[in-house]
Amino acid sequence: MPITDPEKLRIVLEHVFNVKICRKCGARNPPSAEKCRRCRSKNLRLKRYKK
Ligand SMILES: [Zn+2]
């Protein structure tokens, strides 16, 4: 089912892309995370939606 409502699409994209990805193990962490919840590495990158 395609999402046609731009406002809903924006919210969905924020949830999908507003995460930090661990460079070491690839785990998804909350955007506020300082360390990876799986391997405790601080090597996190922010994955954000770009317009
Ligand atoms: Zn990790």
Side-chain angles (χ1 to χ4, degrees):
M1 186 180 93
I3 300 166
T4 51
D5 187 338
E7 184 65 15
K8 279 182 187 172
L9 181 63
R10 191 185 62 79
I11 293 165
V12 167
L13 288 171
E14 274 181 12
H15 277 86
V16 170
F17 290 98
N18 194 17
V19 293
K20 279 179 174 174
I21 308 293
C22 177
R23 285 197 178 95
K24 202 173 172 187
C25 72
R28 287 158 56 99
N29 293 273
S32 58
E34 288 290 318
K35 292 188 286 186
C36 175
R37 61 184 163 87
R38 190 191 285 174
C39 69
R40 308 287 170 87
S41 168
K42 284 189 174 179
N43 198 353
L44 301 174
R45 64 182 172 88
L46 193 60
K47 186 176 184 179
R48 280 198 181 275
Y49 172 63
K50 293 170 192 163
K51 282 182 182 175

